[in-house]
Each structure stands twice: as structure tokens, then as C-alpha cells.
Amino acid sequence: MADSELRLDVLHAMGDEKSDPKERVYLEETFYILSKKKSVFRVRLTSKGLSLIKETDDSSKEQTILLRDIIGSKCMRSKRRRVGGGSCVCTSLVGNQQLKVVDENSGDLDENDISAYLYIYAYVLKQSRRSLKRERTTITLRFRSYDKYEDNNKEAQKWRNTIKCLLMNEPISNIPSNIEKKLLVLLNPKSGPGKARELFQTKVAPILQEADVPYDLHVTKYANYAKEFVRTRNVYNWRGIVAVGGDGVLFEVLNGMFQRLDWQQVFAEVPLAVLPCGSGNGLAKTICHHFNEPFIHQNMTGLSLALARGKSSQIDVVRVETKTDIMFSLLSVGWGLISDIDIESERLRSIGGQRFTLWALARTVALRKYKGVLSYALIKDIGNLPKPKTTIFGRSISQDGALDSPETEAFFDCDEQTETFMSTEIGKKHHRVDSWYSVHSRKTFYSARGSDYHSMTSAGSELRSPVQERMYGPASHLPSLMSELPTHWVQEDGEFVMVHVSYQSHIGEDFLFAPHSRLADGVMWMLIIKAGITRSQIFSFLLKVSQGNIADINNEYIKMVPVSAFRIVPEGQTGYITVDGELVDYGPIQAEIFPNIVNILVPDTK
């Protein structure tokens, strides 16, 4: 991600001029560049974004940074010059060295410089040779029209507050409302190749800092830590829950939320989000795919911007039932080849997503087949599907009715005893346990305003959970797992290489599984590959998958069908069944789709 920077000095204020009636102009100033005496910039802050109009003696060029690409702004002052430095602080603008600025509350201020500096941070979409990418751009506006710093700072603050109001979609005021609630970030340090903490620090935290978005960061300590956390905490204290890692972390969060009595309210008020640091990252790629956001491996710029903006979209949820468990899923259910690859390639986790390619080759050479019965409710006319209606909420009931609970049951909000540290950003105390790199290190790390970092090694960080685990959620419309299915269901029995059902477009970064899928359309796409297929046909299939042509594959061995519910009853005791990439009990399994339950944070592309 390349960086660019433009520094402009204010010359004088200007009145409103004629403009597009559909585009409202909020603020306008004229600036100039010290290094180009014959060039001036007319800068407008409008309902569309930041308009930069460069005017010279014989030409005029305009560039607009869209509002959706601007992440935040900050007012700064110049830093005190060193002894023996240049006599004019402005000379650093045109020299090789950059002008040093510091927070206005810093004690290292240059009192001789009355200018106020407004830094505007943006991540602009740029077309490269191969694809779109975001380029970090910093616009520096220097206000010095007045003889006192306080007056110049007042002008800079007016621009900053207006930008903040526009970004928050609030009425323009001198003092925009502050975001009181933080984001809850649950990070799995072992996801994928184990670089989640480093990626969050270097790719995500700086963007949240620029956007002035505070967060609480908790590092998972053991399996199902995230699930237990959201089940037992007062999650209404946060404005969103962010799963950092692979698809498994979000799977834990989702099912922890469904194990709350107030699951319906909490899903309505607290959106979920995912930052991809795992090997598969299917859901993150799906979100970027639907909202035209560039997805580059280990570059989470677009999804980090989504955290700051807070825009959400509804997403389908699938209720999955096995003989021993009920769970909810956002991505896929698999039996056979793809599940074998997913589970058995765990030993190659350190190499990241390439593990799937290597193991796919190995499994194709030694092709397996599984015997069983497959049943599904076919959607006959995908083009005339009714718009998904709001789900009628009920309660999931297990086979023995054990999911009922007394009315006195409630979540338990746990307290953590941690030591404190002094933030180098604002000098305030925050909770501190360890650094990013080891449990003993005391190095500094990025921290947005008011953000806390809670370690997996915190003293007293064990979750105390007096609330019994029970699964709630929408009531099933299907017969019990061992009962007969409706007669209109399609039934196929025999030997299969795989059955994989996805409700999202991608089940991996490079696996476009269902091109026609939408986040909330009430459709599951079932891929069926029957035994008898040759290895060369499997190789051809995998190649077409990488090119996004899977929907066009239909022959005597391979077919893709849209379904609203399904049941798989495998024979034997050997094999793998996965839900969102997580291994579940091998045996009968059935699932059905429920739309309009969960809200998930998405990029702002309007």
C-alpha cells in the first residue's frame, strides 16, 4: 500500500461560488504550496468529499477524494526546532526533510509557529496494472491567516469537526458527538500461519487510530474462548464485535451469541465483523467481493475502514443439527473431499493458504469415496425467489428438550485484574498485560484513543461462567434428525466424492464457490460430486474453480443445485464433516437457512 502526501498553506478565506446543486459545499479555502509560487489550491469540503482544484496561470485541474475514502483527521502543531536549525520552520516544507508536527497537547511545541495543521487521512482506490488497490493519502492543510495560534486552530478545528460529522452521518455542528462505545476485538494468535497479532498491529491499529476509533483487544487463550467470552459478557458495552483470525473465530463468536437468552436483541444491536488472518478467509473475501472492495492477502485496509465507518448489512445464518449438537453457521457445511483437505492440511498451517493447494493435489491422487444418503429441498426457480422476510423468532429445542432454561438465567459479566500502563499517545492510564511479541516484553504498540489491550496471559483472565451452556435461536422447521423427511425432498443415495454446501460466494480466498450467491438471499448452494469421476476430471474441476467457472459445471458426476435445507446420512464411521471449517461429529447432519438475523460490518461503497 503506497503512501502519498500533499501539504497546502492557507492564503485567505473565500465565499461560496456556484457549484453542482446536488453537491453541497460546507467549507472552502484557498491554499498555496510554498515550493510552487504560481500554483494555488481551492479546497472544498462538500457532501461528495474533499475537492482539490489546482489553479495555475493557464490551467486548472480538479481532483476529488471521496468522502467514503476519508477515514479521519487530526489537528497538530509544529515541533520545537533543534538548536542550530533553520531560521524559518516553513523551509522544511520545501526541503528534503519533512515538517515535524506533534499533538497540540505535547510539551515539545514550537511557540514561534502560530500555524495550525490539519491532517486528513484517506485511503483512495487506485487502479494498478492488475487490479484495484487502496493508496494511503495524507492531505496537510496549514492554517495561518491569523496572528494567533488560537484563531488558526479554531479554523482548523472547524474543518475537522465538519469532516467528523460528515463521516458519522450527523448534522453539521461545532462539536460532533463522540463515539462512546468501543469495538470489541477478539484475536486468535494461532490463526493461519500465526501472524494475527502482528497483522493487527501493523495493518489495522494505525487505521483505527487515524479514525479515532477506540477498541478493547482480547487475545484468545484456548479453544472456544471467544465463544465463552461473548456468551458471558455484557456485550452491549461494545458497538461491534470483531473476530480477528480465520473463519473459526467468527464461528465461535456467532455460536456464543446464540447461547444467550437475549440473542435476538443482541444481534439487532451489536453487529459482527471479521478481519482475515487465517488460511481460508472465505467470509472476508465474500464481503469484499459483494462490496467491490479490493481483497489482497494480509492487507486488511478495506475491512479496517469498515470497522471505522460502522455500516452493516444483513447476512444469512444456517442452523445445523447433528445427533449431539445444534450450531449456527455463516459459511458452509462439507462432507468428503474439501473437508478432508481442510482438516488434514492442518499440519501445514504454517505455510498459510497454500496448504489447501498442496493437500488438494495429494487427496486427488489418492481419491476417496463415501457411501451415504443425501436429501435436500430443491429450489426450483432461483430467478423468482421472494424477498426474504424477517424471521419469526422462536427457540431452538434439542432432542431431549434440554435447551429450556429458567427465566432467572442471565449473562455474567466477568472482571479482570490487570496492571496498568501509561499510553504514549495521550498520557492516560489503560489496562496493560503484555506486548505484542511475547508475554515478557514491554515494547510499545499501536493503540487508538482509549483502547485497551487484554492478554491471554492476564492475571485473573480465566472466564468464570456460572451460566449453563444452552443453544437458543430460531426454532427449526425440519423434522427431528432421525425422523422421515417430507416427500417433496429430492433423495440420492450411493457413493460420493464430496458434498459441499455454501451460502456465501467464496469458501476461501481463491475459491469462488457460488458466483450467484448473495449475503442475504435465503439460498444455499450444494455441490455434489459422485463416485466414478476420474482424476483428470477432478483436476479440471479444481482449475475451473480457481477461474470462477464452477457454476457452469454440470455433468453425470458433478452438479450444483440451490437448496433451502438438506440432510446427509453417511454410512460407516470414517470421514470428516465440517461446519465453517470446524470438525463436527461424523454421522447424520441436517441444516436449514434463516435470513435476516445477523448484521455484519461491511465496506461503505455508496
Side-chain angles (χ1 to χ4, degrees):
M1 179 177 62
D3 289 358
S4 64
E5 187 165 4
L6 176 63
R7 293 190 179 91
L8 306 176
D9 278 0
V10 69
L11 182 60
H12 62 273
M14 295 183 63
D16 290 342
E17 296 181 1
K18 293 182 180 180
S19 60
D20 186 343
K22 297 181 180 179
E23 183 179 358
R24 181 176 177 182
V25 179
Y26 294 100
L27 294 170
E28 184 173 2
E29 297 275 9
T30 296
F31 297 79
Y32 69 91
I33 304 177
L34 290 180
S35 59
K36 299 179 180 179
K37 298 297 184 180
K38 295 183 178 181
S39 298
V40 298
F41 273 84
R42 285 195 295 118
V43 182
R44 290 175 174 173
L45 180 59
T46 73
S47 54
K48 184 178 180 181
L50 193 68
S51 174
L52 307 171
I53 305 172
K54 181 181 179 181
E55 296 180 344
T56 59
D57 292 338
D58 55 357
S59 66
S60 176
K61 295 182 180 179
E62 182 175 1
Q63 175 189 0
T64 298
I65 299 177
L66 298 178
L67 195 63
R68 69 178 183 225
D69 294 335
I70 298 174
I71 190 64
S73 60
K74 182 178 295 186
C75 289
M76 308 283 278
R77 290 196 68 176
S78 60
K79 187 176 182 179
R80 182 183 294 116
R81 298 190 303 277
R82 295 171 300 166
V83 177
S87 59
C88 178
V89 69
C90 299
T91 57
S92 60
L93 287 171
V94 296
N96 293 328
Q97 295 181 350
Q98 295 184 352
L99 175 67
K100 301 297 183 180
V101 292
V102 294
D103 188 275
E104 59 181 320
N105 295 322
S106 170
D108 195 22
L109 301 177
D110 182 3
E111 301 295 343
N112 295 321
D113 187 0
I114 61 173
S115 303
Y117 299 88
L118 176 66
Y119 273 42
I120 303 174
Y121 308 106
Y123 291 80
V124 182
L125 280 174
K126 298 287 186 179
Q127 179 69 53
S128 63
R129 292 182 178 180
R130 296 183 179 180
S131 62
L132 284 172
K133 65 177 182 179
R134 287 196 178 272
E135 178 182 88
R136 182 179 183 273
T137 301
T138 304
I139 304 295
T140 305
L141 304 181
R142 184 183 188 187
F143 294 83
R144 56 169 189 167
S145 296
Y146 300 96
D147 295 333
K148 294 182 179 180
Y149 165 76
E150 290 75 16
D151 294 329
N152 290 320
N153 184 55
K154 185 177 180 180
E155 286 297 306
Q157 291 289 353
K158 181 171 67 174
W159 279 69
R160 180 176 183 268
N161 292 336
T162 304
I163 291 173
K164 191 169 185 178
C165 289
L166 290 173
L167 295 181
M168 298 175 66
N169 197 27
E170 291 186 354
I172 304 301
S173 64
N174 292 329
I175 305 177
S177 61
N178 291 321
I179 301 175
E180 296 181 356
K181 290 185 178 181
K182 302 178 183 179
L183 285 171
L184 169 61
V185 181
L186 295 171
L187 183 149
N188 180 5
K190 297 183 179 180
S191 292
K195 296 182 178 180
R197 278 189 280 189
E198 178 184 350
L199 288 173
F200 185 87
Q201 177 195 9
T202 58
K203 304 293 185 182
V204 182
I207 293 178
L208 295 180
Q209 185 179 32
E210 290 174 348
D212 206 22
V213 174
Y215 57 86
D216 284 329
L217 173 61
H218 291 259
V219 181
T220 62
K221 185 175 181 180
Y222 44 76
N224 288 319
Y225 181 97
K227 179 180 178 181
E228 188 77 356
F229 191 103
V230 300
R231 183 175 75 87
T232 58
R233 298 296 181 97
N234 183 7
V235 296
Y236 299 102
N237 287 330
W238 294 284
R239 68 184 187 95
I241 301 177
V242 186
V244 183
D247 295 317
V249 187
L250 190 60
F251 178 78
E252 284 192 25
V253 172
L254 178 73
N255 283 276
M257 300 278 263
F258 272 115
Q259 287 183 345
R260 300 171 59 102
L261 274 171
D262 59 345
W263 64 271
Q264 185 175 351
Q265 180 183 355
V266 79
F267 278 127
E269 296 185 17
V270 186
L272 306 183
V274 60
L275 291 176
C277 299
S279 302
N281 305 322
L283 184 57
K285 181 60 179 286
T286 294
I287 293 171
C288 290
H289 172 75
H290 287 311
F291 291 89
N292 299 316
E293 181 65 45
F295 185 96
I296 303 173
H297 183 65
Q298 294 188 346
N299 183 341
M300 295 176 283
T301 302
L303 293 173
S304 299
L305 298 182
L307 301 184
R309 283 304 177 83
K311 178 183 177 182
S312 64
S313 177
Q314 291 183 322
I315 186 172
D316 290 341
V317 171
V318 170
R319 181 186 187 275
V320 181
E321 182 179 352
T322 68
K323 291 180 68 174
T324 59
D325 203 3
I326 292 173
M327 65 201 78
F328 289 86
S329 163
L330 291 173
L331 188 61
S332 66
V333 175
W335 173 48
L337 179 61
I338 293 180
S339 294
D340 293 351
I341 294 169
D342 196 0
I343 298 302
E344 295 178 350
S345 65
E346 282 284 333
R347 66 194 72 179
L348 304 177
R349 176 176 288 272
S350 60
I351 67 174
Q354 294 181 351
R355 77 185 221 215
F356 300 119
T357 302
L358 293 177
W359 212 258
L361 295 175
R363 279 276 58 85
T364 303
V365 172
L367 203 59
R368 296 170 181 163
K369 53 187 178 182
Y370 299 91
K371 192 173 183 180
V373 179
L374 171 65
S375 306
Y376 52 88
L378 179 67
I379 298 176
K380 295 182 179 180
D381 189 358
I382 195 70
N384 291 322
L385 280 176
K387 186 177 181 179
K389 298 179 181 179
T390 302
T391 301
I392 299 176
F393 296 106
R395 187 168 52 189
S396 293
I397 304 297
S398 65
Q399 292 86 336
D400 58 2
L403 297 186
D404 289 322
S405 63
E407 293 182 359
T408 55
E409 182 183 57
F411 57 80
F412 181 80
D413 199 3
C414 305
D415 292 324
E416 294 192 14
Q417 301 298 323
T418 61
E419 56 180 312
T420 60
F421 74 102
M422 294 297 295
S423 168
T424 57
E425 293 294 328
I426 56 177
K428 294 182 180 180
K429 289 187 177 182
H430 300 287
H431 292 292
R432 164 68 183 240
V433 183
D434 64 10
S435 79
W436 293 91
Y437 298 103
S438 74
V439 296
H440 303 294
S441 174
R442 285 293 182 267
K443 298 178 181 178
T444 59
F445 57 89
Y446 281 109
S447 173
R449 175 185 57 83
S451 301
D452 291 349
Y453 175 67
H454 304 267
S455 169
M456 60 182 182
T457 58
S458 303
S461 64
E462 295 287 345
L463 294 179
R464 302 181 298 278
S465 176
V467 183
Q468 183 180 355
E469 272 192 50
R470 292 171 181 173
M471 187 63 73
Y472 302 96
S476 175
H477 301 134
L478 302 181
S480 65
L481 189 57
M482 307 311 294
S483 301
E484 291 187 4
L485 291 168
T487 56
H488 69 272
W489 280 39
V490 179
Q491 180 173 308
E492 301 183 25
D493 57 5
E495 292 183 326
F496 302 87
V497 170
M498 63 171 281
V499 175
H500 207 89
V501 186
S502 179
Y503 3 109
Q504 307 303 337
S505 62
H506 291 73
I507 59 174
E509 290 182 14
D510 301 316
F511 204 135
L512 179 53
F513 186 93
H516 302 300
S517 175
R518 297 294 179 265
L519 285 180
D521 58 5
V523 179
M524 296 185 286
W525 291 91
M526 174 180 284
L527 176 66
I528 305 169
I529 301 183
K530 295 183 178 180
I533 190 172
T534 65
R535 292 181 178 84
S536 62
Q537 288 175 311
I538 289 289
F539 277 118
S540 176
F541 160 74
L542 294 175
L543 180 61
K544 289 186 176 182
V545 163
S546 65
Q547 299 173 349
N549 297 328
I550 189 172
D552 300 326
I553 301 175
N554 279 286
N555 55 47
E556 60 178 318
Y557 297 113
I558 305 177
K559 66 179 177 181
M560 176 83 82
V561 294
V563 303
S564 59
F566 67 90
R567 178 186 291 177
I568 300 172
V569 183
E571 292 187 12
Q573 304 296 321
T574 304
Y576 301 110
I577 294 178
T578 56
V579 178
D580 288 4
E582 301 297 308
L583 188 64
V584 299
D585 291 339
Y586 192 74
I589 186 171
Q590 67 181 22
E592 59 188 309
I593 193 164
F594 289 89
N596 299 339
I597 295 180
V598 175
N599 292 311
I600 194 160
L601 295 177
V602 297
D604 184 4
T605 56
K606 63 181 179 179

